Amino acid sequence: MSESLYERLGGTEGITNIANDVIDNHLANQAIAKRFENSAPSKLKNAAATFFIAGTGGPDVYKGKDMLAAHKGMNISNAEFMAVLDDALDALAKNNIGQREQEEVLFVLYSMRSQVMFV
Ligand code: HEM
């Protein structure tokens, strides 16, 4: 497997489409929508896309906070964390991303759990 996850998710264009769908899913997801009620959707979409572009082997375009700093003091629950994973998997499926890549993204997201929760 020589292609990076970035390339296999469709590069900057593909990941931008996926990230937009992830945020649309969050804003419609009863379990977490309230968390984002004071955030501009366009800012959330840009942060999600650039974070994932940089984190999957694409250009280093992310300018936001690290995950610990971004979620400090939020007291995120297990149910909220699962809701974010569900929204991400739904967005990947909607964008016709293969199972192997879905598994890799799920693993990357899950591995950040301790930086997002209990902080
Ligand atoms: C692995 C899981 C997660 C990842 C990769 C992630 C990623 C991010 C990123 C990249 C940012 C932007 C930080 C910045 O712009 O400086 C952010 C902000 C934020 N995240 Fe997460 N997040 C995760 C889980 C969660 C969960 C479970 C919640 C709660 C439902 C949550 C709520 C928020 C909120 C409220 C913000 C601030 C939005 C704003 O600045 O307007 N995140 N997250």
Side-chain angles (χ1 to χ4, degrees):
M1 188 181 305
S2 53
E3 270 191 316
S4 67
L5 184 54
Y6 167 80
E7 285 164 322
R8 288 179 286 128
L9 293 173
T12 294
E13 193 187 341
I15 293 177
T16 300
N17 290 335
I18 295 164
N20 288 345
D21 288 337
V22 172
I23 298 300
D24 285 340
N25 289 347
H26 286 355
L27 298 178
N29 188 335
Q30 297 271 334
I32 53 173
K34 264 199 165 308
R35 291 280 193 178
F36 302 103
E37 66 189 1
N38 297 318
S39 305
S42 61
K43 245 195 82 188
L44 293 171
K45 287 177 176 174
N46 183 259
T50 53
F51 182 77
F52 233 74
I53 287 167
T56 52
D60 187 16
V61 287
Y62 181 63
K63 303 271 180 268
K65 297 176 187 160
D66 64 53
M67 290 302 94
L68 267 178
H71 302 92
K72 203 165 182 57
M74 280 190 202
N75 215 0
I76 290 170
S77 70
N78 276 312
E80 288 178 307
F81 189 75
M82 284 303 298
V84 163
L85 299 185
D86 285 341
D87 288 350
L89 286 175
D90 286 348
L92 291 165
K94 184 181 168 197
N95 285 274
N96 301 313
I97 299 301
Q99 173 154 342
R100 168 77 212 204
E101 284 71 27
Q102 293 193 36
E103 289 168 3
E104 287 181 46
V105 172
L106 182 61
F107 184 78
V108 171
L109 292 175
Y110 191 83
S111 68
M112 286 183 265
R113 183 170 178 267
S114 64
Q115 299 168 50
V116 167
M117 291 183 65
F118 320 116
V119 292

